[in-house]
Amino acid sequence: MSPPGLSHSPLTLATNRLTSIASHIRTDAEKLKVIVLRDMGPDVMPLLYDRPELNVVMWPHDKACKRQWILENVPGASGILATIVDKIKAGPSLRVISTMSVGYEHIDVQTAAQRDIKVGYTPDVLTEAVADISVMLALMASRNGRQGIEFVGRGEWPHWAPYTLCGPQLSTNPITQTRTAGFIGFGRISQATLSRLIPFGFTNCIFTSSPTSKSNPQVEEELRKKFNLRSLRRGTLDDVARGSDVVFVLAPGGPQTYYIVNEDFLRKMKKTAVLVNTARGTLVDSDALAKALREGWIWGAGVDVVEGEPDVGIDHPLVKEPRCVIVPHIGSATNETRLTMASLAAKNLIAGLFNEPMPVPLQLNK
Amino acid sequence: MSPPGLSHSPLTLATNRLTSIASHIRTDAEKLKVIVLRDMGPDVMPLLYDRPELNVVMWPHDKACKRQWILENVPGASGILATIVDKIKAGPSLRVISTMSVGYEHIDVQTAAQRDIKVGYTPDVLTEAVADISVMLALMASRNGRQGIEFVGRGEWPHWAPYTLCGPQLSTNPITQTRTAGFIGFGRISQATLSRLIPFGFTNCIFTSSPTSKSNPQVEEELRKKFNLRSLRRGTLDDVARGSDVVFVLAPGGPQTYYIVNEDFLRKMKKTAVLVNTARGTLVDSDALAKALREGWIWGAGVDVVEGEPDVGIDHPLVKEPRCVIVPHIGSATNETRLTMASLAAKNLIAGLFNEPMPVPLQLNK
C-alpha cells in the first residue's frame, strides 16, 4: 500500500528511469546487484532505480518476502534492503545489509561483523510517532476506550449515569493534584512521551535505566527543570511499580528485559494505574497482565505489541480482557515516519555500497 | 455504579446518619423536602442525608428516573437534584433546581426565572477531562485506532507492511514541520486542549468564536506567546476548515450551531485532516461526515457525541464508517470529575435552599 497524496505519477517515474537507462547503458553483470525484500513505495524506490550502477531485484508482492525467493536471488547480491519481518543471514557476496526498522533482532549481526558487512538501520526517526501512540494508549486505557468503542459498535450506546464508564483521570484535577509518570527505559521515546504529559498536569517522574548505564544526577536535574516537574528520578523497578499512575514500557527487547513486567511487578502497581507497552511484546507477561486486569490489581492497559504477534487470536488472554486496549503494532505507522524510515533505509544501502559514510550505521561489536 | 476506591464504608455512613437523626428529631413535615433523581454515590449523598433539616427522597434505581415518579414526588418539594437526562419543569413549591451537568437544555429556565427559582449547574470542573478525551480522539482518528482495535478483536492481527494502517502523524516531523489546530468555539476546553497539543509540535492555531463576542487581539497575542505558537488567530469557519490539520468542535449546542459542520465545511477541509467532536452531536451533520469519510474528503473523525444519542444503532452511518472513532459521551466520565460534579451539584442545592451564595449559580435572564 502506498501512502496517499505523496506519490509521483507513474509516467514521471517511467520517464526518469528511461533517461537513467539511456544515459548509462550497462549490462546487469557490470552492476551491483541489490535485492529489495519489500516494495518501499513510489517515493522511495526511485532512490535505487535511478542509480544506473545498481541492478535492483525487488520482491514484487504486497506481503512478506518468501524465504525461497531470498535464497534464489541472494547469490551475487552486494546489498539487501530488508524489513523487520525478514530473517537475514549474511551470504558470501554481501557487503551491505540495510533494514527499515529500529530493531535488528532479525539480522545475524555476529556473522555480519565477522565478514565486515556493513549494517544500517533506522532508529530515532520514529521517536515522535511512538510517543504519540504511547499517550493515545495511556488515555484509551484510563478512559475505558475499548469498551466505549465496542459498546457503540454493537449498537449498545449506554444510557447516561453518574459513574458509567468512568475511569481514573489522566490529567490532574481538584481531587488528584499529583500525577506520576513511570518509565521502564528512559531513552528518546520515553522523554518525548514525558514532554507530552506535562500539560496534562503531570508532576513527577520515576524511571529505570539499563543496569549498565550510570545515573547522572545533573542531567536528571536539568530534565526536571526543563519539564517543570516536582521530581524526576531514577529508581528501582519496585519504585516505578509502586509510585506511578501510568507505567510506560519503553526498553529494548531481548533476554535481559524478558517479562520485566510480570506478576510481581503488576501486584505492586496502584489499583488506579494503567500500563502502556509500546516497546516489544516480550517485556510483558501476557498471562500475568490479563490476570491483573481481571482481578483489578490495576485499572487498565494499552498495548501496541504482544508476545507472539501476529499470531494473536480471539482466545488470547489479553484480547479477552475488555480493559486491555490492543492495537496491532502501529507505533511507527504514520505516513511521514514510515516514508522517512524507508527512505533512510535506501540511503543507508546506497551509502554502504558506494563506500560513503552511512547516514545511520549500526555499530557492530567484532 | 459508585467509583472504586473512593467510598466510605456503609457502617460509617449509617453511624453518621443515626447520630444526625438522634440529635435533631424532627418530623418530615418540619423539614425541607428535596427530591434526588439519581443516586450520586456514597461520597456525595451524605452531604444531603447528614443535614437534619432535609427530607431527602431519592429515586432508588440505577437507571434514569421515571417521569411518573417525579410527578408523584415533586409536590411539596423545595429542591430538585437532577442530571442531564431529566427534563425539569418548575413546580409551585420549588425554590431550587440543581443539575449535575454543564448543559441546562433539560431545564425550563424561563419559568424558573419568572418564579424566582434558583438554578445551579456544574460547568468548568469538566474542562480537563474533556480536553483529555479530545486529544485521545484526535490521536485515535489519525492513527486508525478503531480499525486497529477491531482487527485485533476479530483475531486478525495484520501482517507487517511498510504502509499498513498508516495515517497522518499528529506530531510534527521532518516531512511535516507545521501543524495547525482549528477550534470551532474557543472557550476553556479548547484552550486546555490546545495546551496539550503544544509538545506534539503544533505551530499554529485558528479559531472561531460566537458572532456576538468581540475579537481581542491583545488577548490573542498573549495566548500565542504563552503557547509559543507561530500564529494564533480568530478566523472564519472557512479559515478553520481550510487551514487546520485537526478541527475540534467545542462550541455550545442549540439552534445557532446546528450542523455548523456540514457538507460545505467538510469539503473544504484538508484530505489529511481529522475532525473531533466532543461538544454536542447537533453541531455535526452525521450524514455529511459519513460521506466525507467514505469519499476521502478528510482522513478520519473522532466523536464523543452523535445527534440522536443514545439511539445510535449498528446501521447508523457513522457506526458503519471504520475511520470514525466513536465513544459514547464519556467526555467528562472520570471518577474525579464526576465526583466533583455530583458534589458541586449537592452543594449548589444546599446553598440555594439555605439562602447561602450558590457555589455556581446559573445566571437567569428575567
Side-chain angles (χ1 to χ4, degrees):
Chain A
M1 253 181 287
S2 20
L6 291 160
S7 43
H8 302 297
S9 80
L11 190 62
T12 320
L13 291 182
T15 317
N16 288 347
R17 216 170 299 164
L18 276 175
T19 317
S20 307
I21 292 166
S23 58
H24 309 265
I25 308 277
R26 303 181 192 215
T27 64
D28 279 353
E30 293 173 309
K31 298 179 180 184
L32 291 174
K33 180 178 176 185
V34 297
I35 63 171
V36 177
L37 307 192
R38 195 68 178 253
D39 185 352
M40 299 281 169
D43 289 281
V44 174
M45 290 309 296
L47 296 177
L48 300 173
Y49 282 130
D50 289 355
R51 301 294 295 238
E53 310 92 327
L54 299 184
N55 170 26
V56 179
V57 179
M58 185 180 80
W59 165 253
H61 307 292
D62 189 21
K63 56 183 175 183
C65 186
K66 289 214 169 130
R67 193 92 209 118
Q68 187 59 30
W69 186 90
I70 303 180
L71 294 175
E72 280 165 16
N73 286 280
V74 79
S78 302
I80 294 188
L81 187 52
T83 73
I84 190 82
V85 295
D86 309 306
K87 287 235 172 286
I88 304 297
K89 236 177 124 74
S93 62
L94 211 61
R95 289 170 41 210
V96 186
I97 301 167
S98 174
T99 180
M100 176 194 168
S101 61
V102 57
Y104 46 85
E105 310 90 285
H106 54 301
I107 299 170
D108 177 0
V109 287
Q110 211 172 352
T111 310
Q114 284 161 2
R115 297 198 187 163
D116 272 330
I117 294 169
K118 296 173 213 166
V119 179
Y121 71 141
T122 61
D124 303 346
V125 294
L126 42 62
T127 299
E128 303 301 324
V130 180
D132 285 2
I133 214 165
S134 300
V135 174
M136 178 184 108
L137 287 171
L139 284 161
M140 284 288 290
S142 302
R143 300 298 289 272
N144 301 303
R146 173 174 164 190
Q147 287 159 288
I149 287 173
E150 289 178 348
F151 274 125
V152 176
R154 289 197 302 265
E156 295 170 9
W157 189 295
H159 285 267
W160 191 93
Y163 303 107
T164 290
L165 281 177
C166 280
Q169 186 160 322
L170 192 69
S171 56
T172 45
N173 55 76
I175 292 181
T176 318
Q177 298 183 22
T178 66
R179 281 282 179 233
T180 300
F183 293 93
I184 298 179
F186 201 57
R188 286 186 189 84
I189 301 175
S190 291
Q191 292 178 34
T193 302
L194 176 61
S195 79
R196 284 159 172 73
L197 296 174
I198 302 305
F200 287 82
F202 272 68
T203 48
N204 303 79
C205 172
I206 318 176
F207 63 91
T208 67
S209 277
S210 143
T212 56
S213 83
K214 278 197 182 154
S215 185
N216 188 332
Q218 198 184 328
V219 171
E220 287 166 27
E221 177 57 16
E222 275 165 23
L223 272 177
R224 189 198 67 74
K225 275 191 197 156
K226 174 181 163 193
F227 292 130
N228 197 23
L229 289 165
R230 289 186 210 156
S231 74
L232 178 144
R233 67 183 178 91
R234 182 167 162 160
T236 62
L237 268 178
D238 260 31
D239 295 334
V240 170
R242 290 185 205 280
S244 307
D245 296 297
V246 191
V247 173
F248 294 93
V249 182
L250 280 164
Q256 285 179 326
T257 55
Y258 190 74
Y259 284 8
I260 196 165
V261 173
N262 54 17
E263 190 165 322
D264 182 50
F265 184 94
L266 291 161
R267 280 192 188 276
K268 288 172 185 153
M269 284 177 68
K270 296 186 188 180
K271 277 193 185 346
T272 51
V274 301
L275 180 86
V276 174
N277 184 6
T278 45
R280 287 284 179 267
T282 52
L283 279 84
V284 175
D285 177 348
S286 292
D287 289 324
L289 178 56
K291 194 172 168 193
L293 293 166
R294 202 163 52 241
E295 299 186 358
W297 312 346
I298 68 172
W299 177 265
V303 302
D304 181 43
V305 287
V306 173
E307 189 185 16
E309 67 183 60
D311 297 322
V312 176
I314 52 170
D315 289 329
H316 190 282
L318 291 179
V319 176
K320 291 200 285 190
E321 285 308 316
R323 281 205 179 141
C324 191
V325 180
I326 315 175
V327 288
H329 208 150
I330 56 171
S332 69
T334 68
N335 296 322
E336 295 90 337
T337 289
R338 288 283 175 87
L339 264 178
T340 306
M341 289 169 74
S343 115
L344 179 55
K347 287 172 188 165
N348 275 337
L349 180 69
I350 292 166
L353 288 172
F354 295 115
N355 294 314
E356 289 155 13
M358 259 191 193
V360 189
L362 178 65
Q363 302 302 336
L364 300 174
N365 298 318
K366 289 186 193 178
Chain B
M1 253 179 287
S2 18
L6 290 159
S7 42
H8 301 297
S9 79
L11 190 63
T12 321
L13 290 182
T15 317
N16 288 348
R17 217 173 296 162
L18 276 175
T19 318
S20 306
I21 293 166
S23 58
H24 309 267
I25 309 277
R26 302 180 193 218
T27 65
D28 279 355
E30 293 173 305
K31 298 180 179 183
L32 290 173
K33 179 179 176 183
V34 296
I35 63 171
V36 177
L37 307 192
R38 195 68 177 254
D39 185 351
M40 300 282 170
D43 288 281
V44 175
M45 291 309 297
L47 295 177
L48 301 173
Y49 282 131
D50 288 353
R51 300 296 292 238
E53 310 93 327
L54 300 184
N55 169 27
V56 179
V57 179
M58 186 181 80
W59 165 254
H61 307 292
D62 188 23
K63 56 184 177 182
C65 186
K66 290 214 168 133
R67 193 94 208 115
Q68 187 59 28
W69 187 91
I70 303 181
L71 294 174
E72 280 165 17
N73 286 280
V74 78
S78 302
I80 293 187
L81 186 53
T83 72
I84 191 82
V85 297
D86 309 305
K87 287 234 172 288
I88 305 298
K89 232 176 127 76
S93 62
L94 211 61
R95 290 170 41 210
V96 186
I97 301 168
S98 173
T99 180
M100 177 195 168
S101 61
V102 56
Y104 45 85
E105 311 92 284
H106 54 300
I107 298 169
D108 177 0
V109 286
Q110 211 171 354
T111 309
Q114 284 161 4
R115 297 197 186 163
D116 274 330
I117 294 168
K118 296 172 213 166
V119 179
Y121 70 141
T122 60
D124 303 346
V125 294
L126 44 61
T127 298
E128 304 301 324
V130 180
D132 286 1
I133 214 165
S134 300
V135 173
M136 178 185 108
L137 288 171
L139 284 161
M140 284 289 290
S142 302
R143 300 297 290 271
N144 302 303
R146 174 175 163 189
Q147 287 159 287
I149 287 173
E150 289 179 348
F151 273 126
V152 177
R154 289 196 304 264
E156 295 170 8
W157 190 294
H159 286 265
W160 192 94
Y163 303 107
T164 291
L165 282 176
C166 280
Q169 186 160 323
L170 192 69
S171 56
T172 45
N173 56 75
I175 292 181
T176 318
Q177 298 184 21
T178 65
R179 280 284 179 230
T180 300
F183 293 92
I184 298 179
F186 201 57
R188 284 186 191 85
I189 302 176
S190 292
Q191 291 177 34
T193 302
L194 176 60
S195 78
R196 284 160 172 72
L197 297 174
I198 302 306
F200 287 82
F202 273 68
T203 48
N204 303 79
C205 172
I206 318 177
F207 63 91
T208 68
S209 277
S210 143
T212 56
S213 83
K214 277 195 182 156
S215 185
N216 188 331
Q218 197 184 328
V219 170
E220 287 166 27
E221 177 57 14
E222 276 164 24
L223 271 178
R224 187 196 68 73
K225 276 192 197 155
K226 175 181 162 193
F227 293 131
N228 197 22
L229 289 164
R230 290 187 208 156
S231 74
L232 178 144
R233 68 185 178 89
R234 183 167 161 158
T236 62
L237 268 179
D238 260 32
D239 295 334
V240 170
R242 291 186 204 279
S244 307
D245 297 297
V246 190
V247 173
F248 294 93
V249 183
L250 280 164
Q256 287 180 324
T257 55
Y258 190 74
Y259 285 7
I260 196 166
V261 174
N262 55 17
E263 188 164 324
D264 182 48
F265 184 93
L266 292 160
R267 280 192 187 278
K268 287 172 185 153
M269 283 177 69
K270 297 185 187 180
K271 276 193 188 345
T272 51
V274 300
L275 181 86
V276 173
N277 185 6
T278 45
R280 287 284 178 267
T282 52
L283 280 84
V284 174
D285 177 348
S286 293
D287 289 324
L289 178 55
K291 195 173 167 190
L293 292 167
R294 203 163 50 241
E295 298 186 358
W297 312 346
I298 68 172
W299 177 264
V303 302
D304 181 44
V305 288
V306 173
E307 190 184 17
E309 66 184 59
D311 298 322
V312 175
I314 52 169
D315 288 330
H316 191 283
L318 291 180
V319 176
K320 291 200 285 190
E321 285 308 317
R323 282 207 179 140
C324 192
V325 179
I326 314 175
V327 288
H329 208 148
I330 56 170
S332 69
T334 68
N335 295 321
E336 295 90 336
T337 289
R338 287 284 175 86
L339 264 178
T340 306
M341 289 169 74
S343 114
L344 179 56
K347 287 172 188 164
N348 275 337
L349 180 69
I350 291 166
L353 288 171
F354 296 115
N355 294 314
E356 290 156 11
M358 258 191 194
V360 189
L362 179 65
Q363 302 301 338
L364 300 173
N365 299 318
K366 292 188 189 178

